[in-house]
Amino acid sequence: MEIVRTIAAARAAVARARGGGARIGFVPTMGYLHEGHLSLVDRARERTGYVVVSIYVNPLQFGPQEDFAAYPRDLERDAELARGRGADLIFAPSDAEMYPRREPATQVVPTRLADRLCGAFRPGHFQGVLTVVTKLCHIVQPDMAVFGQKDYQQATLIRRMVADLDWPLEIVVAPIVREPDGLAMSSRNAYLSPEQRRRATALSCGLGRAEAAFAAGERDAARLCALVLDTLAAEPDVRVQYVELVHPDELEPVAVARRGDVLALAAFVGQTRLIDNAILGA
Ligand code: PAF
């Protein structure tokens, strides 16, 4: 496995692999890899001959009050983990390499899908995500890219961008990987104290209660959301940002639940903002 820091070196490595006949798989990440990221590497590995993992904490997608500076970083550890799962190339650029003129004058601006769910609370976040994903894909030129279902809105916006702009790129969305007690894996789980870590299981627990109610025939969106809200309300250090049942592609709230609709939530556990979701009937 090779580790490169520059766009030119990444392009050269990918060109060599493509010249040898490989299809290129791509897993964009912000590093501090966990089993969730590594399952994306597995997906890319299964379906392509050369797997690129990018590790870049993208300043454009963080708001001024958010955790850009504190975001955990450990390239050496990430490289070992990615190597162990068969990644071929790590692309870990600096800010100067990615944004030599600092804030780029040209960015990808998503429309209505970005105003909902997390986007309503993180203005500019998805513009930053789509801009960096576009840049990274122009650099790596993958045949397929893998994203995690945990960031459901992100994956939906990326799928839509690729369709809207006719990119010859296959997008694969891989299921959420959870800890044994149900907590969705996230690099931000590292911020939680042991007590907060215990309380954070309320997120998946609430979703699980709603999924069970849906399986038992409950179709009222407000009642399904209330099951999640009640579970979260029982934990003193958990503050809900939103719990919504939405259409899987349009992300609009629905009143009557149907199989495939997405129950999505964001909540603060202490100071740490966590997200999770469940696809009903999946
Ligand atoms: O999901 C993430 O880790 C990031 O949003 C991504 C897609 C790597 C863009 O910075």
Side-chain angles (χ1 to χ4, degrees):
M1 188 188 74
E2 219 182 321
I3 303 178
V4 296
R5 299 290 204 152
T6 66
I7 293 170
R11 285 204 164 120
V14 172
R16 279 195 300 276
R18 198 182 286 289
R23 251 168 66 82
I24 311 299
F26 183 34
V27 181
T29 80
M30 297 205 300
Y32 215 66
L33 302 183
H34 50 66
E35 204 43 48
H37 296 114
L38 297 173
S39 75
L40 310 183
V41 177
D42 292 343
R43 282 292 164 104
R45 182 81 275 164
E46 283 157 23
R47 302 176 61 154
T48 60
Y50 187 83
V51 177
V52 182
V53 177
S54 66
I55 295 181
Y56 179 60
V57 184
N58 170 40
L60 278 192
Q61 70 189 73
F62 288 79
Q65 308 304 325
E66 294 185 349
D67 57 341
F68 173 69
Y71 199 86
R73 295 159 166 91
D74 190 342
L75 181 58
E76 217 171 290
R77 172 182 167 279
D78 287 345
E80 266 325 291
L81 290 170
R83 188 196 313 274
R85 295 299 261 268
D88 296 288
L89 181 72
I90 292 220
F91 174 47
S94 64
D95 288 341
E97 182 72 8
M98 285 297 277
Y99 301 121
R101 292 173 211 88
R102 300 175 81 88
E103 177 136 1
T106 307
Q107 300 196 26
V108 180
V109 183
T111 56
R112 63 189 189 287
L113 295 188
D115 298 337
R116 310 200 170 114
L117 304 174
C118 292
F121 299 92
R122 303 186 71 189
H125 169 68
F126 289 114
Q127 177 173 329
V129 170
L130 295 191
T131 300
V132 80
V133 167
T134 301
K135 260 180 91 76
L136 290 166
C137 286
H138 283 149
I139 294 162
V140 173
Q141 307 237 326
D143 297 289
M144 70 99 96
V146 195
F147 297 87
Q149 183 201 315
K150 186 178 74 68
D151 295 286
Y152 188 89
Q153 187 174 14
Q154 166 175 287
T156 303
L157 278 158
I158 290 168
R159 273 197 289 124
R160 187 64 75 86
M161 171 175 73
V162 164
D164 286 344
L165 302 182
D166 299 303
W167 287 14
L169 171 63
E170 181 191 358
I171 299 295
V172 172
V173 180
I176 298 174
V177 178
R178 297 183 180 280
E179 300 285 357
D181 63 5
L183 180 67
M185 291 200 182
S186 164
S187 305
R188 290 190 168 99
N189 292 348
Y191 298 149
L192 302 171
S193 69
E195 182 58 20
Q196 290 168 341
R197 169 68 188 75
R198 195 192 58 70
R199 294 189 191 287
T201 57
L203 277 65
S204 56
C205 196
L207 290 172
R209 287 180 67 198
E211 285 182 285
F214 179 79
E218 179 61 83
R219 294 293 180 267
D220 184 87
R223 281 202 287 271
L224 291 168
C225 290
L227 285 171
V228 184
L229 288 163
D230 289 350
T231 312
L232 296 174
E235 291 297 341
D237 207 14
V238 175
R239 184 166 52 85
V240 176
Q241 197 167 56
Y242 69 78
V243 175
E244 278 193 61
L245 183 65
V246 298
H247 182 277
D249 300 319
E250 298 307 323
L251 307 181
E252 273 164 5
V254 297
V256 179
R258 291 195 313 192
R259 189 186 175 84
D261 286 343
V262 180
L263 189 52
L265 66 81
F268 285 90
V269 181
Q271 298 300 309
T272 305
R273 184 178 181 278
L274 299 177
I275 56 174
D276 200 351
N277 66 77
I279 301 176
L280 293 183

